[in-house]
Amino acid sequence: LLATPFLDLTDRVGSRANEQGLLSIAFSPDFPQSRRFFVNYTANNGDTIVSGFVANADGLTADAASEWEVLRIEQPYANHNGGQITFGPDGMLYVGMGDGGSAGDPQNFAQNMRSLLGKMLRIDVSASSADQPYRVPADNPSLGAEARPEIWASGLRNPWRFSFDRLTGDLFIADVGQNQVEEVNFQPAHQGGQNYGWKFREGFEPFAGDPGQIVLTDP
């Protein structure tokens, strides 16, 4: 344990509830050259913040003043913040976002394609700066005229952990259930656009509402 923390964000991280706080850190694939890394944390007002930072030349410390904001997502409740950020094998930054919290997704964020809540996001931060925080990858799925282009997958309740298979690039998403079922969702490499069903379904079981013609992907 080093006497000086690598990064100290005490003044800007809020943790009034047990699913808030400093939630994830992801080092850019070119970190040895760029010294850039990204952090997901809860702001003092409860919003989700994804920010970029630059490490100092020694690689052992980073200046909190180097922060630039990549994403700010309003959180209506204190739970289901998601929180993990990870660079995929494709070099894109993946962001797991919960459905906004409370219980039963009362505002139906997970199925609202105009909202980033209840989603897996995929963004390009290879040239991220304060002037252009991120770009939307050209091969992100087209989910409709009103859908946010950052969305890679939808219908998630709280995908606070996920992992890429090191050999195949397939994605496994752990999604917290409501009452009875914890989900592990599978996504083949390079194939976004899935709707994992929440809150129409919890696991394989109906939960609330009728999906109609919406195609759902079971866990």
Side-chain angles (χ1 to χ4, degrees):
L1 181 65
L2 300 180
T4 302
F6 175 68
L7 179 69
D8 188 347
L9 299 178
T10 304
D11 63 338
R12 66 199 75 173
V13 173
S15 56
R16 291 171 293 178
N18 64 2
E19 295 181 20
Q20 297 178 328
L22 177 60
L23 301 179
S24 188
I25 183 170
F27 291 87
S28 178
D30 67 347
F31 177 78
Q33 293 77 42
S34 71
R35 308 200 308 272
R36 288 151 41 94
F37 63 97
F38 297 83
V39 172
N40 183 320
Y41 66 89
T42 307
N44 287 313
N45 70 349
D47 290 349
T48 287
I49 304 292
V50 177
S51 284
F53 294 85
V54 179
N56 295 323
D58 62 7
L60 300 177
T61 56
D63 184 356
S66 69
E67 179 178 19
W68 71 96
E69 194 172 290
V70 176
L71 275 173
R72 178 182 289 262
I73 301 174
E74 183 178 350
Q75 291 283 359
Y77 307 102
N79 60 330
H80 296 188
N81 283 205
Q84 183 176 342
I85 56 174
T86 298
F87 283 95
D90 53 8
M92 300 296 113
L93 186 65
Y94 289 74
V95 182
M97 288 302 306
D99 65 2
S102 188
D105 193 6
Q107 300 186 51
N108 199 36
F109 284 123
Q111 294 296 329
N112 181 352
M113 296 302 169
R114 296 184 299 276
S115 171
L116 298 181
L117 296 171
K119 313 295 191 303
M120 181 68 67
L121 312 180
R122 178 178 182 257
I123 57 177
D124 180 357
V125 294
S126 60
S128 178
S129 67
D131 294 331
Q132 185 181 34
Y134 64 89
R135 293 177 291 191
V136 174
D139 56 349
N140 269 14
S142 178
L143 301 174
E146 296 186 359
R148 292 287 300 265
E150 301 94 335
I151 296 173
W152 181 249
S154 61
L156 294 162
R157 186 172 181 270
N158 192 27
W160 76 293
R161 291 291 183 267
F162 56 92
S163 183
F164 289 93
D165 187 296
R166 291 177 176 84
L167 295 180
T168 66
D170 296 334
L171 179 59
F172 292 85
I173 306 170
D175 197 13
V176 180
Q178 173 71 38
N179 295 320
Q180 300 185 44
V181 181
E182 305 289 282
E183 293 186 12
V184 177
N185 292 295
F186 174 76
Q187 186 178 85
H190 312 300
Q191 296 181 31
Q194 293 86 348
N195 186 325
Y196 289 109
W198 177 251
K199 67 177 180 176
F200 294 126
R201 294 180 191 166
E202 180 189 13
F204 298 100
E205 300 300 320
F207 185 83
D210 180 0
Q213 300 301 310
I214 299 175
V215 177
L216 304 180
T217 299
D218 284 331

